[in-house]
Amino acid sequence: MQTVLILLLLYFALLTLSLFWRSHTVRGPWFFLFRAFFPNWQFYHLVGPVPHLYVRFQTAGGEWQPWQCVYPRQVRSVWRLFHNPWGNRDLAQQNLVDHLSSDIKDLGEGADASQLVSYQLVCRLAAQTARAQQALGSYQLEIRMERPSPQGVLSTDTVLRSPEMAL
């Protein structure tokens, strides 16, 4: 009991210290493994544009389809308050797009994002979306920063457009 109390006090002491002491963001390729456990909390900092994933693909005839937004929304129900694995999957996928947007911002302009783990995972998500639409040839993905409003989208800015990739 005494050990638990000491650990609890130590935890709150460290928590209080972290309120006053600001450190730099921890970065590194190994840290990405831990990011799966933590959501991207940057939406609390300020209201601004939201990253959205758009995918387009080729049909069997070779023509490109229009861009489709991959921003999943689940139908609300009381049952989903207690059991919602599909909603959790969709939130994890959108969190992945948020992480890619953050990584692209950290890279700076003109840098190659294709080596990022988040980029490769979003490419797989886009390929999965294209396959679900019975795409056969190639696909492309695009990350757009969109400022939503009740009337629609106020502004959109393309952050990344991938080259054509084979399915």
Side-chain angles (χ1 to χ4, degrees), residues 77-85 88:
S77 72
V78 175
W79 171 245
R80 293 211 171 141
L81 284 173
F82 305 104
H83 183 70
N84 193 11
N88 291 340

mmCIF file with all atom_site columns, all heavy atoms in Angstrom, residues 77-85 88:
data_model
loop_
_atom_site.group_PDB
_atom_site.id
_atom_site.type_symbol
_atom_site.label_atom_id
_atom_site.label_alt_id
_atom_site.label_comp_id
_atom_site.label_asym_id
_atom_site.label_entity_id
_atom_site.label_seq_id
_atom_site.pdbx_PDB_ins_code
_atom_site.Cartn_x
_atom_site.Cartn_y
_atom_site.Cartn_z
_atom_site.occupancy
_atom_site.B_iso_or_equiv
_atom_site.pdbx_formal_charge
_atom_site.auth_seq_id
_atom_site.auth_comp_id
_atom_site.auth_asym_id
_atom_site.auth_atom_id
_atom_site.pdbx_PDB_model_num
ATOM 1  N N   . SER A 1 77 ? -25.822 4.669  -33.491 1.00 0.00 ? 77 SER A N   1
ATOM 2  C CA  . SER A 1 77 ? -26.828 3.819  -32.865 1.00 0.00 ? 77 SER A CA  1
ATOM 3  C C   . SER A 1 77 ? -26.445 3.606  -31.404 1.00 0.00 ? 77 SER A C   1
ATOM 4  O O   . SER A 1 77 ? -25.285 3.806  -31.020 1.00 0.00 ? 77 SER A O   1
ATOM 5  C CB  . SER A 1 77 ? -26.937 2.477  -33.593 1.00 0.00 ? 77 SER A CB  1
ATOM 6  O OG  . SER A 1 77 ? -25.807 1.684  -33.327 1.00 0.00 ? 77 SER A OG  1
ATOM 7  N N   . VAL A 1 78 ? -27.402 3.203  -30.621 1.00 0.00 ? 78 VAL A N   1
ATOM 8  C CA  . VAL A 1 78 ? -27.158 2.978  -29.194 1.00 0.00 ? 78 VAL A CA  1
ATOM 9  C C   . VAL A 1 78 ? -26.202 1.807  -29.009 1.00 0.00 ? 78 VAL A C   1
ATOM 10 O O   . VAL A 1 78 ? -25.334 1.841  -28.132 1.00 0.00 ? 78 VAL A O   1
ATOM 11 C CB  . VAL A 1 78 ? -28.492 2.727  -28.456 1.00 0.00 ? 78 VAL A CB  1
ATOM 12 C CG1 . VAL A 1 78 ? -28.244 2.381  -27.006 1.00 0.00 ? 78 VAL A CG1 1
ATOM 13 C CG2 . VAL A 1 78 ? -29.382 3.951  -28.563 1.00 0.00 ? 78 VAL A CG2 1
ATOM 14 N N   . TRP A 1 79 ? -26.341 0.780  -29.819 1.00 0.00 ? 79 TRP A N   1
ATOM 15 C CA  . TRP A 1 79 ? -25.479 -0.390 -29.704 1.00 0.00 ? 79 TRP A CA  1
ATOM 16 C C   . TRP A 1 79 ? -24.004 -0.023 -29.872 1.00 0.00 ? 79 TRP A C   1
ATOM 17 O O   . TRP A 1 79 ? -23.134 -0.582 -29.225 1.00 0.00 ? 79 TRP A O   1
ATOM 18 C CB  . TRP A 1 79 ? -25.879 -1.443 -30.735 1.00 0.00 ? 79 TRP A CB  1
ATOM 19 C CG  . TRP A 1 79 ? -24.915 -2.582 -30.817 1.00 0.00 ? 79 TRP A CG  1
ATOM 20 C CD1 . TRP A 1 79 ? -24.142 -2.913 -31.881 1.00 0.00 ? 79 TRP A CD1 1
ATOM 21 C CD2 . TRP A 1 79 ? -24.598 -3.527 -29.794 1.00 0.00 ? 79 TRP A CD2 1
ATOM 22 N NE1 . TRP A 1 79 ? -23.367 -4.006 -31.602 1.00 0.00 ? 79 TRP A NE1 1
ATOM 23 C CE2 . TRP A 1 79 ? -23.631 -4.410 -30.304 1.00 0.00 ? 79 TRP A CE2 1
ATOM 24 C CE3 . TRP A 1 79 ? -25.032 -3.722 -28.495 1.00 0.00 ? 79 TRP A CE3 1
ATOM 25 C CZ2 . TRP A 1 79 ? -23.099 -5.454 -29.577 1.00 0.00 ? 79 TRP A CZ2 1
ATOM 26 C CZ3 . TRP A 1 79 ? -24.495 -4.778 -27.764 1.00 0.00 ? 79 TRP A CZ3 1
ATOM 27 C CH2 . TRP A 1 79 ? -23.550 -5.620 -28.302 1.00 0.00 ? 79 TRP A CH2 1
ATOM 28 N N   . ARG A 1 80 ? -23.719 0.953  -30.722 1.00 0.00 ? 80 ARG A N   1
ATOM 29 C CA  . ARG A 1 80 ? -22.322 1.340  -30.978 1.00 0.00 ? 80 ARG A CA  1
ATOM 30 C C   . ARG A 1 80 ? -21.690 2.060  -29.794 1.00 0.00 ? 80 ARG A C   1
ATOM 31 O O   . ARG A 1 80 ? -20.482 2.275  -29.792 1.00 0.00 ? 80 ARG A O   1
ATOM 32 C CB  . ARG A 1 80 ? -22.245 2.189  -32.234 1.00 0.00 ? 80 ARG A CB  1
ATOM 33 C CG  . ARG A 1 80 ? -22.601 1.341  -33.443 1.00 0.00 ? 80 ARG A CG  1
ATOM 34 C CD  . ARG A 1 80 ? -21.884 1.781  -34.648 1.00 0.00 ? 80 ARG A CD  1
ATOM 35 N NE  . ARG A 1 80 ? -22.114 0.785  -35.695 1.00 0.00 ? 80 ARG A NE  1
ATOM 36 C CZ  . ARG A 1 80 ? -22.315 1.078  -36.939 1.00 0.00 ? 80 ARG A CZ  1
ATOM 37 N NH1 . ARG A 1 80 ? -22.308 2.326  -37.316 1.00 0.00 ? 80 ARG A NH1 1
ATOM 38 N NH2 . ARG A 1 80 ? -22.506 0.128  -37.818 1.00 0.00 ? 80 ARG A NH2 1
ATOM 39 N N   . LEU A 1 81 ? -22.470 2.447  -28.813 1.00 0.00 ? 81 LEU A N   1
ATOM 40 C CA  . LEU A 1 81 ? -21.885 2.980  -27.582 1.00 0.00 ? 81 LEU A CA  1
ATOM 41 C C   . LEU A 1 81 ? -21.115 1.891  -26.833 1.00 0.00 ? 81 LEU A C   1
ATOM 42 O O   . LEU A 1 81 ? -20.165 2.175  -26.112 1.00 0.00 ? 81 LEU A O   1
ATOM 43 C CB  . LEU A 1 81 ? -22.974 3.542  -26.665 1.00 0.00 ? 81 LEU A CB  1
ATOM 44 C CG  . LEU A 1 81 ? -23.567 4.880  -27.052 1.00 0.00 ? 81 LEU A CG  1
ATOM 45 C CD1 . LEU A 1 81 ? -24.745 5.206  -26.146 1.00 0.00 ? 81 LEU A CD1 1
ATOM 46 C CD2 . LEU A 1 81 ? -22.520 5.969  -26.964 1.00 0.00 ? 81 LEU A CD2 1
ATOM 47 N N   . PHE A 1 82 ? -21.532 0.644  -27.010 1.00 0.00 ? 82 PHE A N   1
ATOM 48 C CA  . PHE A 1 82 ? -20.952 -0.464 -26.262 1.00 0.00 ? 82 PHE A CA  1
ATOM 49 C C   . PHE A 1 82 ? -20.012 -1.337 -27.096 1.00 0.00 ? 82 PHE A C   1
ATOM 50 O O   . PHE A 1 82 ? -19.075 -1.914 -26.567 1.00 0.00 ? 82 PHE A O   1
ATOM 51 C CB  . PHE A 1 82 ? -22.076 -1.334 -25.679 1.00 0.00 ? 82 PHE A CB  1
ATOM 52 C CG  . PHE A 1 82 ? -23.030 -0.540 -24.841 1.00 0.00 ? 82 PHE A CG  1
ATOM 53 C CD1 . PHE A 1 82 ? -24.278 -0.190 -25.332 1.00 0.00 ? 82 PHE A CD1 1
ATOM 54 C CD2 . PHE A 1 82 ? -22.668 -0.094 -23.581 1.00 0.00 ? 82 PHE A CD2 1
ATOM 55 C CE1 . PHE A 1 82 ? -25.153 0.550  -24.562 1.00 0.00 ? 82 PHE A CE1 1
ATOM 56 C CE2 . PHE A 1 82 ? -23.530 0.652  -22.811 1.00 0.00 ? 82 PHE A CE2 1
ATOM 57 C CZ  . PHE A 1 82 ? -24.772 0.976  -23.300 1.00 0.00 ? 82 PHE A CZ  1
ATOM 58 N N   . HIS A 1 83 ? -20.307 -1.444 -28.391 1.00 0.00 ? 83 HIS A N   1
ATOM 59 C CA  . HIS A 1 83 ? -19.491 -2.291 -29.265 1.00 0.00 ? 83 HIS A CA  1
ATOM 60 C C   . HIS A 1 83 ? -19.363 -1.592 -30.616 1.00 0.00 ? 83 HIS A C   1
ATOM 61 O O   . HIS A 1 83 ? -20.327 -1.511 -31.367 1.00 0.00 ? 83 HIS A O   1
ATOM 62 C CB  . HIS A 1 83 ? -20.155 -3.661 -29.434 1.00 0.00 ? 83 HIS A CB  1
ATOM 63 C CG  . HIS A 1 83 ? -19.339 -4.604 -30.251 1.00 0.00 ? 83 HIS A CG  1
ATOM 64 N ND1 . HIS A 1 83 ? -18.159 -5.147 -29.792 1.00 0.00 ? 83 HIS A ND1 1
ATOM 65 C CD2 . HIS A 1 83 ? -19.508 -5.099 -31.506 1.00 0.00 ? 83 HIS A CD2 1
ATOM 66 C CE1 . HIS A 1 83 ? -17.650 -5.935 -30.716 1.00 0.00 ? 83 HIS A CE1 1
ATOM 67 N NE2 . HIS A 1 83 ? -18.453 -5.914 -31.769 1.00 0.00 ? 83 HIS A NE2 1
ATOM 68 N N   . ASN A 1 84 ? -18.156 -1.106 -30.910 1.00 0.00 ? 84 ASN A N   1
ATOM 69 C CA  . ASN A 1 84 ? -17.971 -0.311 -32.117 1.00 0.00 ? 84 ASN A CA  1
ATOM 70 C C   . ASN A 1 84 ? -16.592 -0.553 -32.738 1.00 0.00 ? 84 ASN A C   1
ATOM 71 O O   . ASN A 1 84 ? -15.802 0.374  -32.888 1.00 0.00 ? 84 ASN A O   1
ATOM 72 C CB  . ASN A 1 84 ? -18.155 1.167  -31.783 1.00 0.00 ? 84 ASN A CB  1
ATOM 73 C CG  . ASN A 1 84 ? -18.285 2.016  -33.025 1.00 0.00 ? 84 ASN A CG  1
ATOM 74 O OD1 . ASN A 1 84 ? -18.434 1.509  -34.118 1.00 0.00 ? 84 ASN A OD1 1
ATOM 75 N ND2 . ASN A 1 84 ? -18.220 3.307  -32.845 1.00 0.00 ? 84 ASN A ND2 1
ATOM 76 N N   . PRO A 1 85 ? -16.266 -1.781 -33.120 1.00 0.00 ? 85 PRO A N   1
ATOM 77 C CA  . PRO A 1 85 ? -14.934 -2.011 -33.695 1.00 0.00 ? 85 PRO A CA  1
ATOM 78 C C   . PRO A 1 85 ? -14.728 -1.319 -35.033 1.00 0.00 ? 85 PRO A C   1
ATOM 79 O O   . PRO A 1 85 ? -13.630 -0.875 -35.340 1.00 0.00 ? 85 PRO A O   1
ATOM 80 C CB  . PRO A 1 85 ? -14.863 -3.535 -33.829 1.00 0.00 ? 85 PRO A CB  1
ATOM 81 C CG  . PRO A 1 85 ? -16.274 -3.978 -33.888 1.00 0.00 ? 85 PRO A CG  1
ATOM 82 C CD  . PRO A 1 85 ? -17.050 -2.996 -33.045 1.00 0.00 ? 85 PRO A CD  1
ATOM 83 N N   . ASN A 1 88 ? -13.959 2.349  -34.434 1.00 0.00 ? 88 ASN A N   1
ATOM 84 C CA  . ASN A 1 88 ? -12.586 2.476  -33.939 1.00 0.00 ? 88 ASN A CA  1
ATOM 85 C C   . ASN A 1 88 ? -11.584 2.328  -35.075 1.00 0.00 ? 88 ASN A C   1
ATOM 86 O O   . ASN A 1 88 ? -10.581 3.047  -35.126 1.00 0.00 ? 88 ASN A O   1
ATOM 87 C CB  . ASN A 1 88 ? -12.312 1.434  -32.861 1.00 0.00 ? 88 ASN A CB  1
ATOM 88 C CG  . ASN A 1 88 ? -13.088 1.712  -31.590 1.00 0.00 ? 88 ASN A CG  1
ATOM 89 O OD1 . ASN A 1 88 ? -13.537 2.823  -31.360 1.00 0.00 ? 88 ASN A OD1 1
ATOM 90 N ND2 . ASN A 1 88 ? -13.262 0.695  -30.788 1.00 0.00 ? 88 ASN A ND2 1
#
